[in-house]
Amino acid sequence: MGRAGASIQNSTSRSAARDSCVRLLESAGIQVGGGDPWSMTVHDDRLWERVLADRELALGEAYMDGWWDAAAPDELITRVLTADVREAIRPSAKMVATVARAKLSNRQTLARARRNAQHHYDIGNDLYERMLDPRMVYSCAYWADQPDHSRDLAAAQTAKLDLICRKLHLEPGMRLLDIGCGWGGLARFAAENYGASVVGISPAVNQVQRAREVCGGLDVEILEEDYRQITGSFDRVVSVGMMEHVGSKNLPRFFEHCAELLAPEGVMVHHTIGSLVTKEHTDPWIDKYIFPGGLLPSIGQIGRACEPSLVIEDVHNFGPDYDRTLMCWLANVEAAWGDLPNYDERFRRMWRYYLCISAAGFRARRLQLWQFVIRRTGRGARYSPVR
């Protein structure tokens, strides 16, 4: 019952709700009370009516509340996504209204974007220090040269940073703008290994403070700014894991401003999670708890936003590498939880669920990871793709 025939009515009794949900789960190869790592253990039978009312939002909130468990939530959600179980449940009026508001409003204005970024990135460097690699690179690693069993996250992140610099054709003395510089990992790498003069920007206070410390003594300037506030001219422009926060209504202006900042012969690289489907809203659970106002762009949205003044020279998809990256982050957080006293058990379950459903999205190929190489129109040397 992948799309499971007719939509399920939300007014179902609890027992009927359970029967309907169990059938849907079984259609995805998931047993309730089974012995597989992806089997669901239910601790509160109100779960079923809750899920039929609010779908993926309810499933995530119920996990946070301890209403259900699985030994491998990532595998459970992968099967749910692969079977497209969500589409068999009719959205509630509240969910429909949420989608409508997302289509009508711009949730990434200058003021909102700053609040959105601080909601996620300023929760505490202690969590990210334990979750990420030593450079604190919070984006997909590049595992191309590592065997499948390897868990050397630091090496894979270094390979990703080097891949970006090579795609930029970065050379000593070039001025590089790092939009959404995070904790300064790429800025420091580009300055130390490629001799670049870097300006990094982020609206998140904790990130800016840490990035300034990390890049101290190098030709790097870190500014607490939004991309719309930056001025100047740069030989190269890069954004890594930042386009997801721009919003579809702002994508044309984002690329227009990048073009204004880029020197005539310059090169840009934009590294972003992407959606297979063009849409104006995101997963409601992710929007409420993890990335408020975020939106994953589609290839079509990015292409249209680049018209008519930018040329997409190369698109590189290595989405499966994000599954591997996220599972490393999850293992790091779980191993270090005893050293994180500032977060309660509900936060722990929220964070675990965030990492698991994200990994599941990439494993089921519903989410993609793209690197775009982009230049301005006009006569220029042929661009040779880098891998």
Side-chain angles (χ1 to χ4, degrees), residues 345-361:
E345 182 60 22
R346 193 167 192 267
F347 181 95
R348 181 185 188 179
R349 292 180 69 88
M350 178 192 78
W351 205 255
R352 179 192 297 140
Y353 192 74
Y354 152 54
L355 296 174
C356 283
I357 65 170
S358 299

Side-chain angles (χ1 to χ4, degrees), residues 6 31 36 41 59 83 93 102 146 165 199 217 234 239 299 304 321 372:
Q31 288 187 318
D36 295 315
T41 300
L59 188 66
Q146 292 201 39
C165 291
V199 174
F234 298 88
S239 72
I299 285 273
R304 286 190 295 273
D321 283 18
F372 290 85

Side-chain angles (χ1 to χ4, degrees), residues 42-268:
V42 177
H43 306 299
D44 193 317
D45 232 26
R46 292 175 295 172
L47 170 71
W48 313 114
E49 291 171 299
R50 188 175 182 179
V51 168
L52 291 185
D54 288 324
R55 300 201 306 189
E56 60 267 49
L57 175 62
L59 188 66
E61 290 184 329
Y63 184 81
M64 292 166 61
D65 292 338
W67 286 19
W68 68 273
D69 275 299
D74 54 303
E75 273 299 308
L76 184 150
I77 299 300
T78 299
R79 284 162 170 75
V80 167
L81 292 174
T82 301
D84 212 4
V85 168
R86 171 185 175 276
E87 291 303 312
I89 304 174
R90 180 181 299 173
S92 65
K94 182 175 71 174
M95 299 291 287
V96 172
T98 299
V99 171
R101 283 195 299 271
K103 289 181 178 180
L104 294 173
S105 63
N106 183 353
R107 300 185 62 207
Q108 283 292 347
T109 62
L110 187 60
R112 286 182 174 184
R114 183 174 296 274
R115 290 196 300 270
N116 292 343
Q118 292 172 351
H119 172 92
H120 187 82
Y121 298 106
D122 282 350
I123 59 176
N125 283 348
D126 55 345
L127 173 65
Y128 293 112
E129 286 168 352
R130 287 160 178 80
M131 183 176 85
L132 306 176
D133 65 296
R135 297 181 191 272
M136 291 183 69
V137 179
Y138 191 21
S139 53
C140 181
Y142 190 52
W143 300 90
D145 297 327
Q146 292 201 39
D148 290 344
H149 66 272
S150 172
R151 297 183 62 84
D152 192 344
L153 178 62
Q157 289 292 15
T158 298
K160 188 268 299 296
L161 298 181
D162 191 62
L163 178 70
I164 289 171
C165 291
R166 289 187 290 119
K167 287 185 177 184
L168 286 166
H169 292 179
L170 199 58
E171 297 176 2
M174 284 186 172
R175 197 158 187 250
L176 171 66
L177 173 64
D178 183 1
I179 301 175
C181 65
W183 291 277
L186 175 57
R188 178 172 178 168
F189 183 87
E192 285 185 329
N193 294 277
Y194 283 83
S197 174
V198 186
V199 174
I201 62 171
S202 170
V205 177
N206 284 3
Q207 287 192 332
V208 168
Q209 291 174 346
R210 175 63 177 258
R212 286 172 177 166
E213 294 171 5
V214 165
C215 297
L218 298 170
D219 189 5
V220 177
E221 182 181 14
I222 304 294
L223 303 175
E224 187 184 327
E225 289 189 1
D226 184 273
Y227 70 91
R228 285 161 282 207
Q229 298 172 302
I230 197 72
T231 60
S233 177
F234 298 88
D235 303 296
R236 302 290 187 262
V237 173
V238 66
S239 72
V240 181
M242 184 270 170
M243 201 186 299
E244 301 92 327
H245 305 292
V246 170
S248 60
K249 293 178 175 61
N250 304 311
L251 273 177
R253 180 53 188 152
F254 172 76
F255 281 109
E256 181 183 13
H257 191 50
C258 285
E260 292 168 353
L261 296 167
L262 188 66
E265 300 297 321
V267 178
M268 291 188 280

